């Protein structure tokens, strides 16, 4: 999950761009955040982001590679661990993906 999110973040960031990865713990959950300062995700694509083969630019001339499977694979794995995945994004400013996983005591 982390490899996929960081790979996506670096792929969609400008060359030399910064990707932040944070891990925090509260009373109930681990929270993992992966933030880029890349192109962002258009709002009209939000409902498709976790679907198989979904890509914002699915044209034959797109500049970014990939199959569009990474997030669709991550989501059920996270859910099998009783976790959640969500994101916030602003076009032109970047995207943050949040994974919450239950704390095991």
């Amino acid at each position: 999950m982390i490899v996929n999110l960081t790979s996506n973040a670096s792929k969609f960031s400008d060359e030399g761009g910064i990707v932040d990865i944070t891990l925090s713990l509260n009373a109930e959950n681990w929270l993992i955040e992966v933030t880029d300062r890349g192109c962002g995700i258009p709002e009209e694509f939000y409902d498709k982001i976790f679907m198989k083969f979904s890509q914002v630019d699915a044209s034959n001339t797109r500049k970014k590679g990939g199959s569009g499977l990474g997030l669709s694979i991550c989501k059920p794995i996270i859910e099998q661990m009783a976790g959640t995945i969500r994101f916030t994004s602003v076009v032109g400013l970047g995207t943050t993906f949040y994974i919450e996983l239950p704390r095991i005591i």
Side-chain angles (χ1 to χ4, degrees):
M1 298 170 301
I2 303 303
V3 170
N4 179 260
L5 292 177
T6 55
S7 173
N8 284 352
S10 63
K11 181 173 24 176
F12 292 101
S13 294
D14 293 332
E15 186 173 335
I18 296 172
V19 173
D20 292 318
I21 304 166
T22 61
L23 173 66
S24 57
L25 177 65
N26 64 31
E28 297 176 9
N29 295 309
W30 287 98
L31 177 62
I32 303 162
E33 298 178 45
V34 178
T35 301
D36 67 54
R37 289 159 188 81
C39 57
I41 301 166
E43 194 171 335
E44 60 270 14
F45 194 74
Y46 285 9
D47 61 337
K48 298 178 186 91
I49 198 73
F50 295 108
M51 295 173 72
K52 288 181 182 178
F53 307 111
S54 291
Q55 296 177 330
V56 172
D57 180 2
S59 70
N60 290 333
T61 60
R62 71 178 185 263
K63 295 178 183 174
K64 311 293 183 188
S67 63
L69 287 172
L71 291 173
S72 70
I73 292 169
C74 286
K75 189 174 191 313
I77 292 170
I78 293 165
E79 290 172 346
Q80 284 291 316
M81 294 188 292
T84 60
I85 183 170
R86 60 187 175 85
F87 68 96
T88 57
S89 188
V90 177
V91 172
L93 296 179
T95 302
T96 300
F97 278 88
Y98 307 89
I99 297 173
E100 284 189 79
L101 297 169
R103 178 180 181 165
I104 299 174
I105 300 174

